[in-house]
Amino acid sequence: MENKKMKYISIFVTVPNVNVANKITEFLVEKKLVACVNIIPKIKSVYWWENKVCKSNEHLLVAKTIKSNFNKIVKEVKKIHPYEVPEIVCVDIKANKDYLMWIKEYAK
């Protein structure tokens, strides 16, 4: 039961536009760092930056992968991402066995 030992995660990354979304998504998928990325368009973000409240229209990337890829993904996304402090957040996921096996097959 290898799946019970392997950890699976979703990674959330906000980006400023569809071009950056596509660039990061294609890189992560082509390099097999993730099995899948969902691009959720047109989210509104409200946040603190440089001591003031800011509002931005962004896109949200939701990537599915294995936990052991997280640090490499952070390193690679930071190279591509235009933000000074990009959001790169991971959460553990539990899912049906077939889905987890699919992630394991494609996220190396």
Side-chain angles (χ1 to χ4, degrees):
M1 291 301 195
E2 191 173 341
N3 272 351
K4 293 192 187 259
K5 294 178 185 173
M6 184 168 281
K7 301 287 184 180
Y8 299 88
I9 59 174
S10 284
I11 299 174
F12 300 92
V13 180
T14 51
V15 297
N17 58 57
V18 71
N19 292 334
V20 175
N22 289 335
K23 187 174 183 179
I24 291 173
T25 296
E26 289 170 16
F27 178 86
L28 294 176
V29 173
E30 288 174 7
K31 296 295 182 184
K32 292 195 170 185
L33 291 171
V34 301
C36 170
V37 177
N38 304 114
I39 301 173
I40 303 170
K42 299 180 182 176
I43 65 166
K44 183 166 190 133
S45 296
V46 180
Y47 54 92
W48 281 98
W49 184 249
E50 297 179 343
N51 289 324
K52 60 185 170 191
V53 175
C54 300
K55 297 177 184 177
S56 298
N57 293 315
E58 297 181 297
H59 297 310
L60 176 64
L61 308 181
V62 182
K64 277 69 77 174
T65 190
I66 53 177
K67 195 168 197 167
S68 59
N69 283 350
F70 181 68
N71 289 334
K72 182 164 185 156
I73 290 168
V74 169
K75 180 181 172 186
E76 296 300 330
V77 168
K78 282 183 166 186
K79 289 179 188 176
I80 300 168
H81 208 293
Y83 291 171
E84 185 179 334
V85 181
E87 173 188 6
I88 309 168
V89 176
C90 86
V91 294
D92 291 339
I93 59 172
K94 293 182 182 181
N96 57 304
K97 182 179 176 181
D98 294 341
Y99 186 73
L100 296 178
M101 292 301 293
W102 173 77
I103 291 173
K104 181 182 170 190
E105 180 179 350
Y106 290 100
K108 306 287 182 182

